[in-house]
Structure formats: structure tokens, C-alpha cells
Amino acid sequence: MALLQQDSDITMAALMAIAHMPTSSLSALCSDAFFHRLTDRDFMRIAVLLAEKSLQEGGCPIGAVIVDNQSNRIIGKGHNTLVQENHPYNHGETAAIRDAGRIDFSQTTLFTSLSPCDVCATLLYMRGFKRVVVGDVTNAQGNEALLSSKGVEVDIIEDQQGIELYRNFRLQHPQQELEDWQGLAALKHD
């Protein structure tokens, strides 16, 4: 039996456990009834907690969560690992998609803590996501219109904790942020 049931409180500790537990093990933590009670804001908070995890590891603070629209279960999640894995496009969104695996994304929603870059936005519409929820259009924006033009429903649920997290990162690590968005070549022109 899962630890978090229908009558369990949705606390920060519960959301933190969901963020840090491997996706494949979430059924041991959360019952279907508990997942059905989670809101868009809860899923966005999990994405922000994943962004915090990336920052703690020395990476860019961006996290993402993929939710099955029917069951409301998390089927993929991830965080930016550009630095940690020395990988030029391991962004929060791509990590979550990789975690979900080879599935039909047309019945899912992706929650991302920051407006997606060009590569991630393109991947989202190419893989058939019907809905994307963005948690920060204060520090970065622009691809929401692209996604909408490709038939993806885009909702903005700005998360103040995530906005502050990325704002501080941008101020403290401008070179790392530039590399994440534009690659190492961009650092030569900075």
C-alpha cells in the first residue's frame, strides 16, 4: 500500500519526496487517489523543487514534470543536467521526456519551471504534447507563442519561488546561463 493516500495532506515534504523519488517508484509512495488530488500548482511546485535540485548539484535551476491527463500520475520528470552530465541539451524538459520514455505524449501535460528554449519548445510540439504549463515567464519568455501556433495549449502559472531561484542564478552565474541557452560559442561573444 502506498504511503500517501486519499486523506493524506499535500505538504511540502510530500511534494519534495515526489520530486526526489525515481518516477518508476512513485506508485509505492502515492496512491491513485492521492495523485488525483494534486493540482497544477502542486505539479509546478514539484518542477521548481527539481530546479532546486539541479542548482544544488551545480547546474541550471530548471525542472520539468510530465503528467498523464487521464490518471493525473507523474510519468516523467527531470532537471537540467548540462553541467552535471557535461551534456549540451540535457534541459529539464528533455530530461523529463527521456524519463517518460517512448510513449504517446498527446494525452499528457508538461510542467516546466522556466519558459522553454527553442530546442525544448520544438521538441514539445514535435512529440505531440497537447498542453504545456510554464512557471516563469519573468526571467525568460518567447516560445509560448510558438507552441500556441503549433496547437499546444499553453498556460502560465508563475511560481514566485521558481522566479526568485532563476533570477538569483542568472545574477550569480551569467556565463553558465548563457551557455545553457546558446552554447559555448556564445561565451566568446560575451
Side-chain angles (χ1 to χ4, degrees):
M1 179 190 314
L3 292 173
L4 299 172
Q5 295 292 318
Q6 165 127 12
D7 57 349
S8 300
D9 290 335
I10 300 172
T11 63
M12 185 58 74
L15 298 179
M16 181 83 70
I18 292 168
H20 289 276
M21 180 173 264
T23 305
S24 60
S25 300
L26 286 176
S27 60
L29 179 65
C30 304
S31 68
D32 288 342
F34 184 83
F35 269 117
H36 275 291
R37 293 180 42 232
L38 295 178
T39 66
D40 284 356
R41 289 206 178 275
D42 294 326
F43 290 121
M44 185 56 66
R45 179 46 47 106
I46 294 166
V48 169
L49 291 168
L50 288 162
E52 286 179 346
K53 179 179 181 184
S54 181
L55 185 64
Q56 291 166 356
E57 295 172 353
C60 302
I62 305 166
V65 175
I66 301 171
V67 176
D68 178 270
N69 294 339
Q70 187 84 11
S71 68
N72 217 41
R73 280 189 141 319
I74 294 173
I75 57 172
K77 56 190 173 77
H79 60 283
N80 185 301
T81 58
L82 169 90
V83 171
Q84 303 93 307
E85 295 182 9
N86 193 31
H87 200 293
Y89 62 87
N90 267 358
H91 290 179
E93 300 90 341
T94 58
I97 291 168
R98 185 181 65 216
D99 186 45
R102 295 175 58 209
I103 65 166
D104 176 1
F105 291 103
S106 68
Q107 301 302 312
T108 66
T109 298
L110 181 128
F111 294 81
T112 180
S113 65
L114 185 71
S115 180
C117 71
D118 295 345
V119 170
C120 291
T122 301
L123 184 62
L124 293 172
Y125 74 75
M126 286 180 66
R127 288 293 171 240
F129 283 88
K130 294 300 181 205
R131 181 173 179 241
V132 172
V133 181
V134 180
D136 180 356
V137 294
T138 299
N139 291 301
Q141 63 177 320
N143 283 318
E144 292 76 23
L146 170 68
L147 289 168
S148 293
S149 74
K150 297 294 187 176
V152 180
E153 177 186 343
V154 178
D155 292 314
I156 311 297
I157 299 180
E158 288 210 298
D159 183 284
Q160 289 306 312
Q161 182 178 339
I163 291 169
E164 286 300 313
L165 182 72
Y166 198 83
R167 180 180 296 134
N168 291 336
F169 167 76
R170 170 181 270 166
L171 291 172
Q172 295 169 7
H173 305 281
Q175 299 286 89
Q176 189 176 342
E177 187 213 21
L178 184 61
E179 178 191 351
D180 187 60
W181 281 87
Q182 297 178 24
L184 285 173
L187 297 180
K188 295 176 186 174
H189 306 309
D190 188 34

